[in-house]
Amino acid sequence: YITLTQVDNLWKQHLKDMDFLKEFVGLRSYKGGDSFQEFQEEGYELFQDMLAAVRRNTVYSFFQYKLKNEENVAKAKKGGKTKTKKRKGKK
């Protein structure tokens, strides 16, 4: 859930950044040069930055996560193991 939330939020921001880049590269095309090549290169850099942000924010979110239930806190400290009562089975 944490990773999916980060990807969703950062993907929305990435799409907004790509729209801005499209307009910016369009304006730079008046200067001359290959605007498509510039768009590809800068778009790739933006995508790599987004992936790095997903990794960084996901790890940060895991460290900031707090368990709400006392039983879950105790379970996490024991490594996920809890005591279970043995049931008498039928033979």
Side-chain angles (χ1 to χ4, degrees):
Y1 173 77
I2 293 172
T3 304
L4 184 60
T5 303
Q6 293 299 322
V7 169
D8 185 45
N9 292 335
L10 291 170
W11 180 251
K12 290 176 193 175
Q13 183 61 43
H14 176 70
L15 292 177
K16 290 177 186 175
D17 292 344
M18 290 299 290
D19 284 339
F20 176 75
L21 178 63
K22 181 173 65 173
E23 291 177 23
F24 188 67
V25 168
L27 293 174
R28 278 197 299 191
S29 67
Y30 293 118
K31 185 176 103 175
D34 188 7
S35 58
F36 180 72
Q37 183 68 29
E38 289 179 15
F39 181 77
Q40 260 188 330
E41 290 172 0
E42 292 185 33
Y44 180 75
E45 287 180 32
L46 285 174
F47 184 74
Q48 292 301 319
D49 292 344
M50 182 202 65
L51 291 178
V54 166
R55 284 187 220 104
R56 181 182 59 245
N57 292 354
T58 301
V59 170
Y60 179 77
S61 296
F62 277 123
F63 283 113
Q64 294 299 314
Y65 184 74
K66 292 188 171 53
L67 296 173
K68 294 179 183 178
N69 189 337
E70 298 267 339
E71 184 179 318
N72 289 338
V73 172
K75 191 186 301 184
K77 286 182 180 179
K78 291 180 182 179
K81 298 176 183 174
T82 58
K83 294 180 182 178
T84 57
K85 295 180 181 178
K86 293 183 181 179
R87 294 183 185 181
K88 294 181 180 179
K90 296 181 182 178
K91 291 186 179 181

